[in-house]
Amino acid sequence: MKLACAVSTYPTSFGPIVFKDGNLAENFKLMTKYGYEGMDLFIKKTSQEQLQEYKKLIDSFGLQVASLFAIYLGESGVKLAEKDPELRIRNINLMKEQLDNAKFLGAVGLGLGYIRGAHSEDETEEDAKKRIADALFEIGEYADNIGSSILLEPINRYEINTINSAKSAVDFIRNNNLKGVTLQLDMFHMNIEDKSIPYAIEYAKELISNVHISSSTRHAVGTGHFDFKEVTDALKKVGYDGFLTLEAFSNDADETLKLTAENVRKYL
Ligand code: LER
Ligand code: MN
């Protein structure tokens, strides 16, 4: 397994990202100092020229992109659970554009967090999940055709009311026969929603494409009460050899990266 870190290409207020200032070259320098090999890249609407610049810079540091996240779309109201048919088509197309960007950057795929959308008060989670599944059927097929993937991320109930546990995400993908859709796991969310993290990892095994790591308080790995060995043992047992991406709060990037690298390496 390889160590990665969440990085934003632009100044963002989104909480659990170590590098929120968009100073990519400076951030990459610190990452390589502690042996990080990749990143989850958080981007906003980006021109082809700008993407090429990012790729050049990432390559020059010998880094890789694990997942690409376009959370700005979610922040501007784009959701797959959209009820308006015309807006749904627009949203599906926006996701396809971002999949092309993920492919261009050599990422494992495009993360799908808040952009799946929530269910409204006058309907059940199942109602919204039907619309999300319909959209994902088309987007997943597109991803599969271009050799990429949508990484659906189970997110805890306090942040969104659809697809909270890893187990429910696996069932959702299987029950809807979704091609080109895999999983972005996140220890912080699984700790809240899954009865057992090792059991959920075993249950999800063929679908895991990336894993977000942090402490139980969502800071540097090793500073809370998570049994990190239990998690890495479970990942090893299912043969996972992708990225462990630090997605955490931090007031001191150097310290957060250093502590996480030390605490993760003992278990790899
Ligand atoms: C949100 O809490 C999260 O975990 C991210 O990966 C964004 O989707
Ligand atoms: Mn996450």
Side-chain angles (χ1 to χ4, degrees), residues 14 16-17 40 42 69 71 111-116 153-156 159 184-186 188-189 212 218 247:
F14 179 65
I17 299 189
D40 277 8
F42 287 69
F69 278 89
I71 52 168
L112 177 62
Y114 303 126
I115 300 171
R116 61 174 161 280
E153 179 168 10
I155 292 181
N156 79 73
E159 295 182 37
Q184 169 68 63
L185 294 184
D186 185 321
F188 179 75
H189 301 307
H212 285 161
R218 228 175 187 186
E247 191 183 53

Side-chain angles (χ1 to χ4, degrees), residues 13-133:
S13 57
F14 179 65
I17 299 189
V18 177
F19 294 118
K20 294 161 120 90
D21 58 10
N23 292 327
L24 295 183
E26 212 177 281
N27 299 337
F28 294 167
K29 209 166 144 194
L30 196 57
M31 284 164 61
T32 47
K33 173 178 165 194
Y34 292 114
Y36 286 69
E37 294 177 71
M39 73 197 70
D40 277 8
L41 196 65
F42 287 69
I43 60 164
K44 56 181 175 182
K45 189 162 177 60
T46 310
S47 67
Q48 208 49 45
E49 294 71 38
Q50 183 66 74
L51 270 184
Q52 274 163 14
E53 289 292 310
Y54 292 153
K55 181 146 175 45
K56 231 163 85 185
L57 189 65
I58 292 166
D59 289 349
S60 74
F61 280 86
L63 292 164
Q64 278 175 274
V65 181
S67 303
L68 182 71
F69 278 89
I71 52 168
Y72 83 95
L73 287 177
E75 287 161 358
S76 50
V78 170
K79 49 185 192 292
L80 301 186
E82 176 60 58
K83 290 178 183 169
D84 178 321
E86 272 175 34
L87 283 180
R88 274 166 56 73
I89 293 170
R90 180 205 64 175
N91 294 349
I92 288 170
N93 289 334
L94 285 168
M95 291 298 283
K96 289 181 183 171
E97 266 175 36
Q98 293 297 340
L99 271 165
D100 289 337
N101 292 344
K103 177 75 184 171
F104 174 78
L105 292 170
V108 182
L110 179 68
L112 177 62
Y114 303 126
I115 300 171
R116 61 174 161 280
H119 73 80
S120 54
E121 275 178 16
D122 58 350
E123 64 175 357
T124 65
E125 181 185 358
E126 285 311 308
D127 295 329
K129 277 164 71 177
K130 278 194 195 112
R131 298 193 300 278
I132 298 170

